[in-house]
Structures are given as C-alpha cells and as structure tokens.
C-alpha cells in the first residue's frame, strides 16, 4: 500500500522539475520591450558576443543578413531599432535562415519584428535576414540579449549601425544610453529577526502561532512595519531553496503580488514578482524594492526590504492600504531557479490590511473544508467500517440475542456502523467540490479512487436491504457479493488515504504519516489474524467434543464462555488501538 504513495510522490516531483522558471522554447515576447530575462539575476556588464551586418548601408525594401556570434550560448533575442531612439518602436521585420535554431516573434503587435531561439541547445552563431521597411529611419542599430545560462546573460548588446545612403553621418546622442538594469546591491543581516514587537509596532504572521524566529529554527515569520509612506518587510523561515509571500484578493493563486527570497549557493536574491494562475511567477525587473538585506544560518533564509505603500508607477504592485489574503510558501531552488512549492501555502484565515493596527495572526496550510473532508474519511474508513467488519465476522455468536425490532445485537451494531460509514463518506465526498467549485485536475488518482469508494459505500447498504432470507438458495451468492464489495471498498479506501495524505491541500508530515498508516493496517490485519486463529481453535475443540461423544454440556458451555471473553478482550484492545491511530491523524490534521 506504500507503493501507490511512492509512485505519486515521484510523479509530483517530476511535475515540479518541469516547471522550472525559464523559457527554453524561446517564447519570450513579454520581454520584447526591455529585453531583460526574468531570471532574477544581474546581467553581465561586458559583452562577449557580436552583431554584424553584411553591408553598412540600406534602402527601403532591402534584405540584409545579420549575424549574432560569440562563445556558445543557449538563448537570445534580436531586434532592430532607430539608432537615434533605442527606446522607440521596433523597426522592420526578420526572415529566418535556419528555422531549427531560431523563430520569429510578434513584438508590440508587429509580426516578425524580433527573433529568438527555438530550443536551449548550445549555438555559436545565428544568421537571419532583416527586411528594411518603406518608412525606415535614417540609421538602424541592432540589439541583442544573449543567455549563456540561467545566471549568466547580457542585455541589449549594441551591434552595428547601418544608414541610408543620403543620410547625414550618425552621431551619438548627447544623452548617453541608460545603464543596464541591475538589481540594487543587498546588505547582510547580522542577527535574526525578533518577534517582540509583533502586535505593538509590527503586523506579524507566524506559524506556529506565537513562535519566535530569534529562538526557533522552524518558525515561519513575515512582518510589516510602517515607516511614514513606506513599509519595512521581514521574512524568515526554514528552506533550502526559496521563501516567499503573496498578497491575494482571494484564496486562489492568480493575479497576486508576490515577493521571493531565493537562495543561490551562499547568496539570497530578493525579487518582486507577479503570479498569473498556476504558472511560474513573472519576475519584476524594475527597482520597486529598497534597503534589501538577507541572512543564511542553519538552513533558515531571512530577508528584508522596504517598499512604498503605494507604487502607482509599477505595474502589478498592489497598494498596501487594502485588505488581502496573505500566502506564505517555500520550495526548492537550483542555481537560482525556483520550483513549484510541494506543500499548500500557509494562508491567513481572512483578509487583512497590514497597514491597519499591528496584529499577531496565524494561518493554515489546509483550508477548513479539506480538513473536515480528511477527518470524516479517517473516521469512516479507519474506525467505523473496521469495527463493523470485525463484529460481523467474529461476534455473531457473542451477541446473538435479539435487540431492537427483533434483530440480533451484533447485527444492529454492524448496521449502525456501516450506515454511519456510508453517511460520512457521502458528506466528505461533497466537501472538496464545494471548495474547488468542481472536479480537481491536480489531485492525481485520489479523486478517482474516492469516487469508486463512494459508489461501493452507497451500494453496500442498498444491497443489504434487499438480501434474500437466510435459507434462500441465493443467500450464499449474496454473502460472497457483500463480502467482496466490502473488502474492495476497504482496500481502495486505504489506497485513497495514502494518496490523499500526499496532496498539497493536506500534506501531513512526510515520514510520520506513512508509518502511522502502515501501523494502522498492521494493527487491523493482526487483529483479524488473531481472531481467525482463535475461531479455528474453538471450532477444533467443538469437533473433538463431538467426535468422542462426550456429552458434557457444562464443559462445552465453559469453553464457549471462555472464547467469548477472549473475543471481547481482543475487541476492546483493538478499539483502543484504533482510536489511538485515529486521534493521531485527527490531531495532525487540526495542526495544519
């Protein structure tokens, strides 16, 4: 039963690897204007690649060959602009020479106005044709951004200038070209953050609630402290890759203002970004953050920065004078590239305005409906169904006396537990749909197994309601069908629980949950084996009494009473153990 969970874990890990934050297919149209890759690193300052053109003059309608060459590179973006206004619109269009290495882009709504790589394979040079438009300016300059790897790239490499024949000689404008966009220098924090001001001068989100990042390594901490028209933000938590928080209008990822502290070897890059759905965050290349500082110690990332409360000049930066849900997430990073977080983010219980009165709040990694769903399923398929099966299988002779409505006591208890299981399953099944608003495409096989379990849980009591009389010839067929469906439902339910514990919406502690579930399965199977062995030995004892024709009723009654007492003791011990496992899981769910 551990195997399905392991397979799902490997599958999820592969999905995470595929979500690396780059554009190996060259679809970089969103970077056309600034020509800056969204890698979160500073560009190199000294170009080592060259742009050459096969002629120095051109006329409208001419087609010129442009070559980008230099040390091996993986990605590039090539454009043509007015040499006297490099921040102006793109000029002309390109025609490919080798469509396996490069591709045409539509930038600024102009088809073919730029060229980029088609794949991340290494290349030494790229050749394309540039088509001069009829309304071309007098002087054209080619610009290129070249990417060697995720951390090493050059922005707006200046190439050759070509001119129309009758144009005046080109002179460099007096206003020098702006320096390449780089990230502001960061400083190094000398000590961990303190939570002493939380609720007094700081608005703090902490998990666990009231933890202290100064003393507890596992403390996840984000604080906001107002300073006139700006706010100082502090973020701390255990992570080997990155730590982040986002401001959101709802409880769903998408259209959110996010801030990341990304570990890169022994350095931390602090980056503002924008989340668009479940895709990789779009990094902000503009300098909306100030006074950035960071610290790495004992596997904990700590970073701080300052930003203005309102940033009207920066697209996708939210105004902090508004209430938002606050998400806190962490995940893996490799060479500065981030991967999707494996666990559901910590989300505040309600919207908060961090500029309001200082508060000290917490959040949850799992929403209430998902926690109730998990709790009901654990109660149903760990406890009620397991006890109900044991009673029907081994306690018919123990509690055979008639009870309500003339039915045996064992049957009444069995029926009550099984109906409870069916009701709990139906209620629990609906809750994820209420949360998601429909079917989840990101939950793997878990919802499909759950649907099978639900069907069997509904069919079992219906089948039992129409069971044939005990002496009917079809009773044997009913018994086998009832047993087979019940056993299948229990096995599939355990598999679904194994998979459900790994989903981001729940994600119980990694090793603990697996061992606890294995322990529960072993406890139940062991109890059934003990009762089966006891039933076999009791049957053998009765057969011996019958074979030797010893008509001592008192001896038989004593043996039967001894067997009943043993069964009751085993059941009491089983219920205690079952309740212990159930409380362990319910307690873990409540702490998410």
């Amino acid at each position: 039963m551990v195997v399905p969970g392991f397979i799902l874990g490997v599958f999820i890990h592969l999905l995470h690897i595929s979500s690396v934050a780059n554009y190996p297919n060259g679809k970089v149209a969103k970077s056309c204007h600034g020509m800056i890759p969204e890698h979160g690193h500073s560009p190199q300052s000294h170009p080592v690649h060259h742009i050459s053109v096969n002629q120095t003059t051109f006329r409208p309608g001419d087609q010129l060959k442009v070559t980008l060459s230099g040390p091996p590179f993986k990605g590039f973006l090539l454009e043509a602009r007015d040499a006297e206004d490099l921040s102006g619109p793109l000029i002309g269009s390109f025609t490919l020479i080798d469509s396996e290495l490069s591709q045409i882009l539509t930038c600024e709504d102009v088809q073919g106005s730029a060229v980029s790589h088609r794949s991340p394979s290494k290349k030494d040079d790229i050749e394309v044709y540039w088509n001069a438009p009829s309304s071309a300016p007098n002087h054209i300059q080619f610009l290129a951004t070249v990417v060697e790897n995720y951390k090493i790239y050059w922005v707006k490499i200046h190439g050759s200038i070509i001119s129309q024949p009758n144009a005046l000689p080109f002179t460099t404008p007096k206003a020098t070209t702006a320096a390449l966009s780089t990230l502001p220098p960061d400083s190094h924090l000398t000590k961990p953050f303190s939570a002493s001001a939380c609720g007094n001068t700081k608005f703090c989100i902490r998990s666990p609630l009231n933890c202290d990042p100064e003393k507890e390594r596992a403390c996840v901490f984000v604080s906001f402290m107002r300073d006139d028209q700006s706010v100082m933000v502090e973020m701390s938590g255990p992570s080997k890759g990155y730590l982040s928080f986002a401001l959101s209008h709802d409880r769903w990822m998408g259209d959110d203002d996010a801030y990341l502290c990304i570990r890169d070897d022994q350095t931390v890059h602090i980056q503002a970004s924008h989340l668009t759905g479940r895709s990789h965050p779009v990094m902000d290349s503009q300098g909306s953050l100030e006074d950035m500082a960071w610290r790495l110690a004992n596997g904990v990332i700590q970073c701080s920065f300052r930003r203005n409360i309102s940033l009207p000049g920066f697209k996708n930066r939210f105004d902090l004078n508004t209430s938002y849900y606050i998400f806190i997430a962490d995940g893996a990073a490799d060479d500065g590239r981030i991967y999707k977080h494996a666990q559901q983010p910590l989300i505040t219980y309600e919207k908060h305005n961090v500029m309001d009165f200082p508060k000290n709040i917490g959040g949850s990694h799992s929403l209430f409906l998902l926690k109730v769903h998990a709790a009901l399923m654990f109660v149903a398929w760990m406890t009620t169904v397991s006890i109900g099966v044991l009673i029907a299988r081994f306690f018919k002779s123990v509690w055979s006396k008639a009870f309500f409505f003339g039915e045996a006591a064992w049957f009444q208890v069995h029926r009550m537990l099984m109906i409870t299981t069916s009701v709990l399953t139906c209620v629990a099944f609906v809750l994820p749909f209420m949360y998601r608003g429909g079917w989840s495409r990101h939950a793997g096989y878990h919802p499909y197994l759950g649907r099978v379990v639900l069907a069997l849980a509904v069919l079992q009591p219906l089948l039992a309601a129409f069971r044939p009389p005990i002496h009917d010839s079809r009773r044997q067929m009913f018994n086998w069908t009832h047993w087979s469906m019940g056993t299948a439902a229990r096995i599939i339910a355990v598999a679904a629980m194994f998979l459900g514990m790994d989903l981001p919406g729940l994600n119980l502690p990694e090793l603990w949950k697996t061992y606890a579930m294995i322990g529960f399965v072993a406890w139940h199977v062991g109890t059934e084996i003990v009762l089966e062995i006891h039933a076999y030995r009791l049957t053998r004892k009765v057969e011996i009494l019958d074979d030797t024709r010893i008509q001592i009723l008192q001896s038989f009654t004593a043996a039967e009473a001894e067997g009943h007492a043993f069964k009751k003791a085993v059941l009491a011990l089983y219920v205690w153990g079952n309740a212990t496992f159930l409380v362990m899981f319910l307690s873990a769910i409540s702490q998410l």
Side-chain angles (χ1 to χ4, degrees), residues 388 391-401 403 407-417 475:
I391 288 175
R393 176 71 181 87
F394 299 105
F395 288 83
K396 291 180 180 178
S397 61
V398 178
W399 293 314
S400 58
K401 292 183 179 180
F403 201 48
E407 300 281 3
W410 74 265
F411 179 75
Q412 298 280 18
V413 175
H414 170 75
R415 180 167 58 186
M416 178 188 68
L417 290 173
R475 182 67 178 224

Side-chain angles (χ1 to χ4, degrees), residues 35-221:
M35 301 186 73
I36 302 174
E38 296 168 347
H39 292 189
H41 294 273
S42 300
Q44 305 298 305
S45 56
H46 301 291
V48 295
H49 299 82
H50 307 280
I51 306 171
S52 59
V53 188
N54 66 337
Q55 58 191 66
T56 58
T57 61
F58 73 95
R59 296 178 184 275
D62 282 357
Q63 188 174 68
L64 288 70
K65 180 185 287 188
V66 183
T67 303
L68 173 63
S69 60
F73 55 94
K74 294 183 177 180
F76 72 93
L77 176 62
L78 179 64
E79 300 175 356
R81 294 182 182 268
D82 184 347
E84 297 178 336
D85 182 15
L86 293 179
S87 62
L90 279 63
I91 306 299
S93 63
F94 290 91
T95 301
L96 300 180
I97 293 178
D98 188 345
S99 59
E100 293 185 359
L101 295 177
S102 55
Q103 63 181 327
I104 295 296
L105 295 182
T106 298
C107 291
E108 301 176 3
D109 297 325
V110 179
Q111 173 69 27
S113 55
V115 185
S116 71
H117 55 285
R118 182 173 289 279
S119 73
S121 61
K122 289 188 176 181
K123 28 192 109 49
D124 298 309
D125 59 78
I126 290 291
E127 293 182 337
V128 295
Y129 290 118
W130 178 72
N131 307 303
S134 58
S135 58
N138 289 329
H139 307 284
I140 297 294
Q141 185 165 35
F142 294 93
L143 303 176
T145 288
V146 178
V147 177
E148 182 177 312
N149 58 47
Y150 192 83
K151 295 167 59 178
I152 301 176
Y153 58 89
W154 294 261
V155 173
K156 290 186 178 180
I157 298 173
H158 290 205
S160 304
I161 297 177
I162 57 174
S163 305
Q164 295 201 44
N166 299 325
L168 295 174
F170 176 76
T171 56
T172 304
K174 292 181 180 180
T176 57
T177 304
L180 297 179
S181 173
T182 60
L183 297 177
D186 300 349
S187 61
H188 193 76
L189 295 169
T190 58
K191 61 181 181 179
F193 300 131
S194 173
S196 60
C198 289
N200 296 319
T201 58
K202 290 181 179 179
F203 186 105
C204 299
I205 305 116
R206 292 190 273 177
S207 179
L209 187 63
N210 297 323
C211 67
D212 190 345
E214 196 171 13
K215 301 175 182 177
E216 302 172 52
R217 177 185 175 277
C219 182
V220 176
F221 172 85

Side-chain angles (χ1 to χ4, degrees), residues 269-299:
H269 299 285
I270 303 171
Q271 192 75 38
S273 66
H274 181 67
L275 300 178
T276 55
R278 291 177 176 267
S279 60
H280 189 273
V282 179
M283 299 298 180
D284 182 6
S285 58
Q286 298 173 307
S288 58
L289 308 183
E290 302 173 345
D291 299 339
M292 293 184 285
W294 57 270
R295 178 176 181 265
L296 291 173
N298 301 320

